[in-house]
């Protein structure tokens, strides 16, 4: 399953960064786990030299334009993109 679109990356520190996301989530029945790989490309990347890279590793959220929210685990900065290592959507209430 893929998640694509515009949204906001909500970091633990409270920063909100607009951009686009693409995340592929696949189920591997042999290992009975989900494998996630993706990226979040910021509209206006901050000057990476001044960024605390730890902000882009660990737990965060993505607010999607369709109103849904996803919990993600970030894997740090790869070039001009932020790596997404895991994604779990919040069920509608």
């Amino acid at each position: 399953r893929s998640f694509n679109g515009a949204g906001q990356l909500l970091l633990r520190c409270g920063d909100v960064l607009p951009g686009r996301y693409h995340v592929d989530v696949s189920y591997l029945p042999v290992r009975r786990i989900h494998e996630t790989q993706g990226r979040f490309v910021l509209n206006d990347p901050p000057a990476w030299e001044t960024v605390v890279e730890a902000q882009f590793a660990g737990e965060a959220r993505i607010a999607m334009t369709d109103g849904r929210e996803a919990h993600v685990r970030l894997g740090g900065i790869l070039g001009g993109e932020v790596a997404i290592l895991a994604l779990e959507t919040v069920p509608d209430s």
Side-chain angles (χ1 to χ4, degrees):
R1 185 170 180 192
S2 291
F3 297 86
N4 304 282
Q8 295 181 318
L9 183 61
L10 313 173
L11 300 175
R12 285 172 304 183
C13 66
D15 287 351
V16 177
L17 303 170
R20 298 193 60 78
Y21 57 89
H22 172 80
V23 187
D24 293 319
V25 181
S26 57
Y27 179 64
L28 305 174
V30 174
R31 292 189 285 169
R32 296 184 178 180
I33 61 170
H34 285 86
E35 186 172 78
T36 304
Q37 186 174 27
R39 64 188 181 275
F40 193 93
V41 182
L42 304 175
N43 287 346
D44 298 305
W48 295 125
E49 310 80 51
T50 63
V51 162
V52 178
E53 189 164 352
Q55 293 178 356
F56 294 90
E59 303 304 315
R61 293 176 294 142
I62 293 177
M64 305 177 182
T65 51
D66 64 6
R68 292 182 301 159
E69 189 172 281
H71 293 285
V72 294
R73 190 168 74 248
L74 303 178
I77 300 163
L78 294 175
E81 304 174 350
V82 181
I84 296 173
L85 304 179
L87 179 142
E88 182 179 331
T89 54
V90 177
D92 295 333
S93 46

